[in-house]
Structures are given as structure tokens and as C-alpha cells.
Amino acid sequence: MIEPVELPSPWRDARLTVVVPTYNEAGNLPVLVERLLALPLPGLKVLVADDNSPDGTGEVADKLAIENPDRVQVVHRAGKEGLGRAYVDGIGRALDGGAEYVAQMDADLSHPPEALPGMLGALLSTQAGVVIGSRYVPGGQLDEAWPLYRRALSGWANLYVHTLLRVRIRDLTAGFKIWRADALRDIGLHRVQSNGYSFQVEMHYLATKLGHTILEVPIRFEERRDGMSKMTTATKVESALMPFKLRTRHRNLDS
């Protein structure tokens, strides 16, 4: 586990909301929230968007919110509608709640919370609209326990999307990032239509089309601690078709 950097004031006091979509993450969520709230970022809040998890993740989240009433919020959604819909809901609520910066991360502990202060510092010290915690820039790492087929799928997906969309990002499918609130408002959550993991690609594509600077910093990506991956055949099909849809859907969008 890396040691989080100590940011100077007023950077450390920035209003940062971390949006965490959940579905069957009851075992991982308490560990993640504990690590997030331990960061030297007193302005950090956590917003859990739970898709009515049958394993009781929503109840776990409610307990965490009761224990940390000023820092943890829970959104109970009607059912499993996809990662993209959960993020759009959670990010919208974070912006409405006054967040200056919004982070996205998975609940499965694959993304190191301790990297957030450094990512926030990189965002605040540049003109970037978003900072991505990247597996594929120099210094980025993949857990040795990550299965070979997942490595191959991730590598192929990035190459495939690069070829079709010509977006200059190494880790196009990354789900760990911090946005400026103004960049998110400029993108407009109403434009985002992806449901599954292709949500990440669509957000990166929109940010690029609108001229926002995108910065990638290296992270170590860990294998999930508990539970199972939510990647399904339907998700893979949506991701494969999405680049073609994006080129048509946003062809008139320009900075």
C-alpha cells in the first residue's frame, strides 16, 4: 500500500466527492470507505450509488452513512441498470451537492484510494479537466494475480478503441479518475448514454472532443479482494459497438 501525499492548504481542503457505484460489494465497501476517510483530505466525501444489491451492500452503506453522517451519502437505486447509469446518477448528485471535484472509482479495491491525494494535486497544479489513474503509462502496474485473459481483453479493448476513435489516452477504459466540476458540466451528463463499462470510453471521448486536457498518472491496479467481476457478454457487446455509435452520436460536437 502506498503512502498518500500530503497536499498543502488550501488544496487539501478541496471539496472532493468520491462516487462509488456498487452491486454486491458488501465485503469490500467497508474497507474502501475506511481507507478513503483516512486520507489527509478533510473535504473528501463518499457517495455510494447502490443498485439494490441482493447481498446487502445497501444496508452496509447505510450503516457507514450513520457512522459518518457528514461524509458518507447513499443513493439507493431501483435495480441493476449498469455502471454508466449509476455513475451519471451519482456524479449528478455530487455536482448538485456542491462538489468542486468528483472522483470515480470501483468498490472492489482494485483502485488504490491512497493515490487520490496525488491525483488531486496533479489536477490542481495543471489545467487538466480530468486526471486518470492509469495502468498503461510508464510506472503503471497490473497486479500479478490479474488473469491473463483479463490482461489480453483490456489490452485489446484499448487498442480497438484507439484505432476507431483516435483518442490520445493510454488507458481509455480506466475507471479511476478525478474530474473538475466545470469539465463535467461542460460535457453534460445528459449526453452520456452508455450503460456498461463503455461509459468510461464515452466520457473520455466527450472530454477530448470538447478540448479538455486529460492527464494520466501511473497507478498499481490490484485484483479485486472479494466478490465477482460484473463483466458480462452483453457488456462486452455494448463496448464493442460503442465506438461506432460515439462517432455518429457526437460527430457535431466540438470545442
Side-chain angles (χ1 to χ4, degrees), residues 9 12 19 54 59 65-66 94 99 131 133 138-139 182 190 198 219 245 248:
S9 184
R12 68 190 305 272
V19 178
E59 290 78 4
I66 291 171
V131 170
D182 289 345
H190 64 280
S198 55
I219 63 159
K245 294 181 179 180
T248 301

Side-chain angles (χ1 to χ4, degrees), residues 44-61:
L44 181 148
K45 295 184 179 181
V46 181
L47 191 154
V48 179
D50 184 66
D51 276 4
N52 196 22
S53 299
D55 76 338
T57 302
E59 290 78 4
V60 171

Side-chain angles (χ1 to χ4, degrees), residues 167-241:
V167 177
R168 301 184 65 176
I169 302 173
R170 295 281 190 92
D171 198 345
L172 265 166
T173 58
F176 188 30
K177 64 200 82 169
I178 301 181
W179 296 88
R180 290 183 186 271
D182 289 345
L184 289 169
R185 293 190 180 97
D186 186 39
I187 287 171
L189 296 175
H190 64 280
R191 291 194 178 104
V192 183
Q193 298 182 30
S194 303
N195 290 328
Y197 290 87
S198 55
F199 167 82
Q200 313 294 2
V201 174
E202 185 167 14
M203 291 291 286
H204 294 152
Y205 185 64
L206 286 168
T208 300
K209 289 278 285 182
L210 289 168
H212 292 284
T213 299
I214 299 172
L215 179 65
E216 292 183 85
V217 299
I219 63 159
R220 176 179 170 81
F221 183 88
E222 302 285 349
E223 177 62 300
R224 68 162 42 246
R225 299 288 183 86
D226 187 54
M228 298 177 61
S229 172
K230 312 305 186 301
M231 182 74 72
T232 64
T233 299
T235 299
K236 294 174 186 176
V237 171
E238 183 201 22
S239 298
L241 295 176

Side-chain angles (χ1 to χ4, degrees), residues 97-117:
E100 299 173 295
Y101 309 95
V102 179
Q104 298 174 227
M105 68 186 305
D106 293 345
D108 61 7
L109 303 176
S110 58
H111 300 142
E114 292 74 22
L116 278 173

